[in-house]
Amino acid sequence: MNNEEVKKLHEPLFHIEKRGGVSKKKAWGIRGIGILVAVVIVSILAAIMLQADPFTFFGKMFEGAFGTTNRIWNMLRDTAILLGFALAIVPAFRMRFWNLGANGQVLMGAFACTVCMFYLYGKIPLGVLVPLMVISSVAAGMLWAAIPAVFKAFFNTNESLFTLMMNYIAESLVTFTITVWVPNGSGSLPPIIPGGLKLFDNAYILPILIIALLTVGMFFYLRISKQGYELTVVGESENTARYIGINVKKVIIRTLAISGAICGLVGFLLSGCMSGTINPQIHSGYGFTAIIVTWLAQFNPLVMAGVAFLVIFVNRGMKSGIKPAFGLTTEAFANIVTGIIFFCVLAFEFFIVYKFKYRSDVEEKMNAFKAKFKKKSAAKVATEATSDGVVASESASEAAEKANGAGDAENGENAAEKATEEVNKEEE
Amino acid sequence: MVVFLTGAIALGVTFLFGCVGEILTEKAGHLNLGIPGIMSVGAMGGCLGVSLYMGALSDPNNASYILLLLIGILSSAFFAGIMGLIYAFLTISMRANQNVTGLILTIFGTGLTEFVMEAKVDRSLLAKASTYFTQSLPFAGKLGWFGEIFLSHGILVYIAIAIAIVAAWLLQKTRIGLSLRAVGENPATADAAGINVTAYKYAFTLIGAAVAGMGGLYYIMDYLKGSWEYGIDSLGWLAIALVIFTLWRPDLSILGSFVFGALYIASYSIMGISFAQMQLLKMLPYVVTVIVLIVTSIVGKKETQPPASLGLSYFREDR
């Protein structure tokens, strides 16, 4: 057995390599492919499960999301709220503090707000009550996030499990309080402020404005503030942070206090501004969805706004478009579609960080194939161009040259160059 | 009291399946937050298998005991395993973030479960199928309180306990267990020692998912006696809490699951408490878990900590 054969036997077909870095354009291109793959899979699924062709399917989805003024308002409201959750967890996530407790923190904010409304509404003027509601919401959210943060900072307690458990403690606490307040056992509290707090006669405008301001604020906080820099360093490497004199414990607790404070504010928006009451599921599980949003947007608040919009589009499109149109009784199909889209996008994130490095002989073949393909398309351009006249034929030869050049640049290796040469010979 | 303890064991076994499955996954360094979704899909898979089998018979009442159990358990483990495969592929091969993947898996799993249960499963057969799963030893009733508490359960209860014991033995006493723990603590070192890290991670994520999925099947077929209920996912979160509570030890998780079962049903079983007090009791398992989490992290003994590389993906060429 000669060396060649041994090499062939033991070297795998390809191995995975980290990319040195990838341009933003290429990264978004890869994500775009991910979404495209998701769309194809969803279309196939829709065809099998609902017997719907893709155009009707996605048409109904658009209709469900944007069909009426009311639906557009709902879209904006849900996007704002989901984005609020995502803005709250983004500083923590950037610090690699896996805050899975946004649901609980928002709930505690809403809870504190409702306590204020329950005991004080109608007794003191609204001008005093509303600031009080905001302050207590923010404080409650802050407290609920700071508890795991303190233990993480001092004892390195696992934060993802801790914050996860705090969700359910908050939920039970709210259920308990509602049953105390409403002893008839219905388990639901009628709105204390009917219709919520309205600005320009619309309960959604205030939340949307606040979240929009918050998005810009968070963008600059992470991008240019000293605190934003500190928390990024702590996330990258605690040892480095300690070495350059950052007080890691302080940064962890401070960041989570901010995270919780925003959660508390979202809680205020949900209970004080919009519904005027509370229920244990007022967070609609957005705390988990927001984690996905934050992750897919690579912690950039402006991109998060776009991703949140996309998520809500799928959600609402399914809920008020697909569900009635195809006579579905549950949210099940919406969850399946959401899951598939996320899976695809998540899987394609891989290609942004890593790339395949093929075995040398495989790469040779691939390059030869690529070069051939490029040659062909260039030749095609050339023949088309010559019919147009002399000037065009110049550009055609340029294109052909380019194709050769591109082949060379990508090869880098001798073997691949040989392949191009071979192709050249063939042409002669 | 006897009824209470029997009930605690009966519900606890749901957590036991989920917990042992999650322990096996976490020992390989993967925090699978998709367990709630996997348990739902496991329940769905089992129901689908059983209802297809019974539907294919001319008389559903003549189903064979062994075959029905086997089909139920295998199809449950199969569907849950597919969910595990999705998770494994994304987090191990594609190196996606584990928290994010797990949460998506839960969304996807609950959706898939609901869809299939509405469209493909003949639920009227489930109650009959359940009688096979709940069949207990004939002499259990004659042994007084002992028989009532420990022997009156269906076969899945004993399978769960057996799985937990085998898992504990596997982790602590065998070479495979040693390698697995090495993978979870420090995959780079394990890799250098010649352990096939990817194979271990895949194998135990899949096994873990299959075991957890059987928890869903048990809950529907045995605990609820074949009536379908959404909300298996909330039990899944408790199973994840139980992993912390039992310090990542399958042998302790047998006892721990009974404690959790007791805490969970305590709110229904204690006479003369108000509805509000019931809600406070429901909070108890989570509070206890948080306390255990805090205490173990303060004590800081190595044996009681989560696997060191839990939640981190492994790439060989990373430094």
Side-chain angles (χ1 to χ4, degrees):
Chain A
M1 205 186 271
N2 62 20
N3 271 349
E4 275 292 295
E5 273 173 81
V6 171
K7 213 177 163 195
K8 237 180 214 172
L9 273 180
H10 292 291
E11 205 180 329
L13 192 64
F14 62 84
H15 75 274
I16 297 163
E17 205 174 67
K18 238 180 189 159
R19 281 182 201 270
V22 63
S23 70
K24 268 195 176 157
K25 214 171 134 190
K26 198 163 183 186
W28 283 106
I30 293 173
R31 289 194 189 106
I33 297 172
I35 293 181
L36 215 65
V37 171
V39 167
V40 171
I41 297 178
V42 169
S43 312
I44 295 171
L45 210 67
I48 296 172
M49 283 178 160
L50 305 176
Q51 284 86 41
D53 69 290
F55 294 103
T56 337
F57 185 79
F58 286 105
K60 285 284 175 211
M61 219 158 134
F62 267 94
E63 207 187 297
F66 305 110
T68 63
T69 330
N70 223 351
R71 283 178 183 172
I72 293 174
W73 272 115
N74 285 340
M75 275 288 295
L76 290 176
R77 175 200 63 193
D78 285 2
T79 308
I81 294 300
L82 178 59
L83 184 58
F85 276 82
L87 289 172
I89 55 177
V90 74
F93 266 53
R94 216 176 151 112
M95 201 175 63
R96 306 272 160 89
F97 183 105
W98 306 115
N99 180 10
L100 307 184
N103 284 342
Q105 288 148 23
V106 168
L107 198 57
M108 287 312 281
F111 178 57
C113 172
T114 317
V115 170
C116 290
M117 289 194 293
F118 188 79
Y119 290 109
L120 296 173
Y121 181 65
K123 289 175 191 144
I124 57 173
L126 216 56
V128 184
L129 178 63
V130 172
L132 197 66
M133 277 154 62
V134 174
I135 292 168
S136 52
S137 298
V138 169
M142 214 185 243
L143 178 76
W144 214 245
I147 297 170
V150 169
F151 283 103
K152 170 76 180 177
F154 286 95
F155 306 112
N156 200 22
T157 311
N158 185 315
E159 78 281 3
S160 38
L161 298 168
F162 199 143
T163 47
L164 189 66
M165 294 305 123
M166 293 295 271
N167 288 336
Y168 302 102
I169 297 177
E171 269 173 32
S172 313
L173 202 64
V174 170
T175 319
F176 166 71
T177 315
I178 292 175
T179 44
V180 170
W181 282 345
V182 191
N184 68 11
S186 68
S188 69
L189 186 69
I192 301 166
I193 304 179
L197 299 169
K198 284 182 179 160
L199 191 69
F200 307 121
D201 215 28
N202 186 326
Y204 302 160
I205 290 180
L206 191 62
I208 292 169
L209 278 181
I210 290 177
I211 297 295
L213 278 178
L214 216 54
T215 312
V216 178
M218 183 54 77
F219 179 77
F220 286 115
Y221 177 77
L222 291 175
R223 184 63 55 104
I224 58 174
S225 80
K226 179 164 170 267
Q227 296 190 358
Y229 174 71
E230 283 178 342
L231 69 89
T232 312
V233 176
V234 171
E236 294 288 329
S237 158
E238 267 187 40
N239 287 332
T240 312
R242 216 167 278 128
Y243 179 69
I244 59 173
I246 294 173
N247 185 342
V248 174
K249 290 186 175 64
K250 193 179 119 192
V251 171
I252 291 178
I253 297 171
R254 183 184 65 204
T255 307
L256 261 287
I258 294 171
S259 186
I262 300 175
C263 278
L265 189 67
V266 175
F268 160 77
L269 296 178
L270 281 172
S271 81
C273 266
M274 280 157 41
S275 68
T277 175
I278 194 173
N279 71 66
Q281 294 299 324
I282 200 168
H283 52 67
S284 351
Y286 279 180
F288 293 153
T289 320
I291 291 168
I292 304 163
V293 170
T294 315
W295 185 259
L296 294 183
Q298 304 288 302
F299 310 138
N300 181 338
L302 302 183
V303 181
M304 268 154 47
V307 179
F309 190 76
L310 186 75
V311 171
I312 295 297
F313 163 70
V314 174
N315 193 328
R316 291 218 68 91
M318 298 300 290
K319 215 180 255 173
S320 40
I322 303 293
K323 213 172 111 180
F326 292 96
L328 300 174
T329 48
T330 60
E331 309 284 306
F333 200 71
N335 286 337
I336 295 177
V337 169
T338 315
I340 288 173
I341 292 175
F342 283 145
F343 280 143
C344 290
V345 178
L346 206 59
F348 272 82
E349 288 289 303
F350 171 86
F351 295 104
I352 294 172
V353 185
Y354 303 96
K355 64 179 177 194
F356 290 126
K357 178 105 178 83
Y358 295 96
R359 197 171 57 199
S360 50
D361 61 316
V362 178
E363 193 161 348
E364 239 171 76
K365 272 180 209 154
M366 281 176 63
N367 278 326
F369 179 75
K370 253 188 211 166
K372 230 180 212 171
F373 182 74
K374 275 194 181 139
K375 204 84 236 169
K376 257 185 203 159
S377 60
K380 204 175 166 194
V381 173
T383 44
E384 275 169 13
T386 35
S387 63
D388 280 6
V390 190
V391 189
S393 82
E394 251 178 46
S395 77
S397 61
E398 242 176 60
E401 247 176 52
K402 229 186 201 168
N404 275 339
D408 280 347
E410 270 179 32
N411 298 333
E413 281 169 31
N414 295 338
E417 267 170 33
K418 260 184 219 158
T420 347
E421 271 171 33
E422 269 172 32
V423 177
N424 284 342
K425 266 180 207 164
E426 268 177 32
E427 198 189 37
E428 282 167 35
Chain B
M1 196 62 195
V2 170
V3 174
F4 176 67
L5 289 178
T6 316
I9 291 178
L11 181 64
V13 168
T14 313
F15 304 136
L16 184 56
F17 275 115
C19 174
V20 172
E22 178 72 5
I23 288 176
L24 290 175
T25 311
E26 286 194 18
K27 280 289 177 187
H30 282 244
L31 178 63
N32 188 352
L33 294 180
I35 287 290
I38 289 176
M39 284 172 78
S40 307
V41 170
M44 175 275 280
C47 291
L48 182 66
V50 167
S51 78
L52 285 182
Y53 167 60
M54 289 177 86
L57 295 176
S58 52
D59 178 13
N61 293 326
N62 283 337
S64 107
Y65 178 73
I66 303 279
L67 210 56
L68 186 110
L69 281 189
L70 217 58
I71 287 174
I73 291 170
L74 286 183
S75 58
S76 161
F78 174 75
F79 278 91
I82 287 182
M83 293 288 282
L85 188 65
I86 296 175
Y87 175 84
F89 177 70
L90 284 171
T91 58
I92 300 169
S93 293
M94 303 307 253
R95 293 173 180 81
N97 180 285
Q98 297 177 12
N99 292 331
V100 177
T101 313
L103 293 172
I104 300 174
L105 201 65
T106 293
I107 295 175
F108 178 73
T110 44
L112 185 68
T113 303
E114 218 172 308
F115 193 85
V116 175
M117 285 308 290
E118 297 292 334
K120 303 273 176 230
V121 177
D122 185 359
R123 290 198 218 160
S124 59
L125 295 171
L126 296 184
K128 175 69 195 158
S130 162
T131 57
Y132 290 85
F133 281 91
T134 49
Q135 214 165 73
S136 59
L137 293 171
F139 53 86
K142 294 175 196 152
L143 293 172
W145 61 268
F146 181 82
E148 177 82 6
I149 295 174
F150 294 107
L151 299 176
S152 67
H153 304 283
I155 186 158
L156 277 173
V157 171
Y158 308 104
I159 291 180
I161 294 171
I163 289 176
I165 292 170
V166 169
W169 170 79
L170 189 81
L171 281 174
Q172 291 302 325
K173 303 279 181 209
T174 65
R175 196 163 184 89
I176 296 175
L178 186 66
S179 304
L180 176 66
R181 282 182 290 144
V183 169
E185 293 294 334
N186 191 336
T189 313
D191 201 359
I195 297 168
N196 189 342
V197 174
T198 313
Y200 266 90
K201 279 176 180 276
Y202 259 99
F204 282 91
T205 308
L206 289 190
I207 296 172
V211 171
M214 282 160 65
L217 174 75
Y218 166 80
Y219 182 67
I220 296 300
M221 280 300 172
D222 194 324
Y223 189 75
L224 290 182
K225 308 269 180 285
S227 64
W228 179 256
E229 182 192 277
Y230 297 110
I232 301 172
D233 44 329
S234 67
L235 298 173
W237 295 117
L238 268 171
I240 292 175
L242 188 60
V243 175
I244 310 159
F245 181 68
T246 58
L247 312 173
W248 288 267
R249 286 182 53 181
D251 46 353
L252 281 184
S253 71
I254 301 173
L255 269 180
S257 66
F258 299 159
V259 172
F260 262 43
L263 289 176
Y264 200 85
I265 62 166
S267 47
Y268 308 105
S269 309
I270 300 173
M271 288 295 150
I273 61 166
S274 70
F275 191 65
Q277 284 165 324
M278 262 170 73
Q279 296 305 322
L280 280 186
L281 273 175
K282 272 193 179 166
M283 199 196 288
L284 221 52
Y286 302 108
V287 175
V288 171
T289 306
V290 165
I291 292 170
V292 170
L293 195 62
I294 292 171
V295 170
T296 53
S297 68
I298 291 177
V299 173
K301 262 175 74 183
K302 219 159 178 197
E303 293 80 48
T304 59
Q305 296 299 306
S309 81
L310 186 64
L312 308 172
S313 50
Y314 172 60
F315 180 53
R316 186 186 259 175
E317 290 169 26
D318 262 343
R319 265 154 296 171

